[in-house]
Amino acid sequence: MNGIFSALLGVFNADGDINEDGVRALVRHNIDKCGIDGLYVNGSTGETFLMTMEMRKKVLRTVADEAKGQVSLIAHVGGICLDDVNELSKEAADLGYDAISAVTPFYYKFTPDELRLYYTNIAEKSALPLIAYYIPSLTGVTMSIDNLCSILDTPNVSGLKFTSNDFFALERLRTARPEKLIFSGFDEMLLPMTVLGTNGAIGSTYNIIGHWAKKIYELASAGKLDEARVWQQHVNYVVSEVNNYGLYGTLKAVCTLYGIPAGNCKAPMAPISFRQREAARRIKDYMEKVK
Ligand code: MN9
């Protein structure tokens, strides 16, 4: 399991429930137009922490039904209630996902030992390999290199989604655990993270520019850094626009321009604004010029 994975956007109806047809259309766009290698389902980009358990299961089912056997599938099942996490993990295994992933538990100030216990608890009950998800900018949970290594050493933990700009830690982890999967989580840092030997990347902008990310990953893996840099510049134009105007809403507005009924973000996230629609138009124009 490696390559470029889209962190699948959430697709909701006006009442906030899952728009199954929209989910299917977005999955098709990712596979058929962006050519991604896999989907990371129900992560941050999927607005998972705004969903009920039933909604999370519905997304897992819909994506599996649309994409199984075509691309690799990772189900993010994380949360701070372990009973829910383990229930979702069983669902993912029953549906034929390739792996599960879980964010570091947040809100309470868990100790390093408790963080390890969390992953042990999930991994030992899971029929699927587990990819830990490290994103200190959203969770507020920072871990030392030793803590991260100890989580990677947990039986049935196969890798880490590394959404941090700590390149020193990334290099130390890569060198210490060459056999583990490390996915880069910041789209704007795909090139340097690939140079450091990651196994691929998981990102939100890949829902629209996964084909550019694939070029970066393939060129950088082949040592063609000058060419890869040009594609990273294109990706970073999109990243700056979406980060300036609101990440998920602007990405959904671009999807809408491509005919995907991506709708709005789920409350309490704000409805898509006029400025986001304008940014989406600029992004689409840019994408059409680059091709
Ligand atoms: O998980 C994503 N992070 C969030 C990965 O959604 C918080 C990234 O793909 C970023 O959206 C992307 C843009 O800054 O790097």
Side-chain angles (χ1 to χ4, degrees):
M1 203 170 48
N2 68 352
I4 299 299
F5 284 65
S6 281
L8 197 71
L9 288 156
V11 188
F12 305 99
N13 293 321
D15 64 4
D17 198 0
I18 306 300
N19 176 347
E20 285 186 48
D21 291 342
V23 172
R24 286 179 191 278
L26 182 61
V27 167
R28 288 265 54 91
H29 181 81
N30 268 288
I31 297 176
D32 302 336
K33 298 284 170 12
C34 301
I36 46 90
D37 301 298
L39 293 167
Y40 186 87
V41 185
N42 283 346
S44 313
T45 306
E47 298 169 55
T48 301
F49 303 109
L50 309 180
M51 287 188 203
T52 63
M53 283 287 282
E54 210 27 68
M55 294 167 82
R56 288 176 74 163
K57 288 184 185 175
K58 198 191 259 188
V59 176
L60 290 182
R61 278 197 302 270
T62 309
V63 175
D65 188 53
E66 189 64 46
K68 205 167 78 185
Q70 300 165 54
V71 293
S72 302
L73 295 178
I74 304 174
H76 176 265
V77 299
I80 69 169
C81 170
L82 275 170
D83 309 85
D84 286 353
V85 172
N86 290 324
E87 191 178 323
L88 288 169
S89 142
K90 185 172 179 313
E91 181 82 13
D94 291 347
L95 289 166
Y97 276 72
D98 298 291
I100 55 162
S101 181
V103 73
T104 49
F106 45 86
Y107 190 76
Y108 299 113
K109 301 290 176 209
F110 296 106
T111 64
D113 279 347
E114 288 169 331
L115 295 174
R116 216 163 17 123
L117 203 61
Y118 171 83
Y119 284 109
T120 310
N121 193 306
I122 300 168
E124 73 188 5
K125 292 195 175 69
S126 170
L128 300 175
L130 168 61
I131 294 167
Y133 176 15
Y134 183 56
I135 181 163
S137 60
L138 287 188
T139 57
V141 178
T142 48
M143 292 171 73
S144 69
I145 296 166
D146 284 349
N147 293 158
L148 286 164
C149 275
S150 75
I151 283 164
L152 281 174
D153 292 339
T154 305
N156 205 23
V157 171
S158 66
L160 178 69
K161 175 183 190 295
F162 185 84
T163 310
S164 153
N165 55 13
D166 186 343
F167 282 85
F168 176 61
L170 176 59
E171 185 282 327
R172 291 290 74 196
L173 287 170
R174 177 70 300 165
T175 300
R177 297 294 180 273
E179 72 289 0
K180 297 289 178 177
L181 294 171
I182 304 182
F183 290 99
S184 107
F186 273 133
D187 311 9
E188 50 276 46
M189 299 171 199
L190 175 56
L191 166 55
M193 290 191 170
T194 306
V195 169
L196 282 179
T198 46
N199 304 89
I202 299 167
S204 60
T205 64
Y206 308 154
N207 283 275
I208 59 170
I209 50 168
H211 46 310
W212 295 356
K214 281 200 69 158
K215 285 184 200 283
I216 297 173
Y217 180 64
E218 280 158 18
L219 289 165
S221 302
K224 297 181 177 168
L225 300 185
D226 286 344
E227 282 175 77
R229 199 178 298 123
V230 173
W231 287 104
Q232 185 71 66
Q233 285 160 4
H234 292 318
V235 166
N236 285 2
Y237 168 82
V238 173
V239 168
S240 19
E241 285 278 11
V242 297
N243 278 344
N244 277 344
Y245 291 94
L247 182 60
Y248 310 134
T250 308
L251 286 172
K252 287 184 196 192
V254 177
C255 290
T256 305
L257 292 177
Y258 279 97
I260 304 154
N264 269 299
C265 294
K266 187 163 163 54
M269 290 210 193
I272 297 174
S273 66
F274 179 69
R275 282 161 66 84
Q276 284 178 312
R277 302 239 179 249
E278 280 184 331
R281 177 65 53 216
R282 280 196 300 280
I283 292 169
K284 181 161 184 269
D285 288 347
Y286 187 94
M287 287 171 62
E288 250 128 64
K289 265 189 247 133
V290 173
K291 275 287 179 223

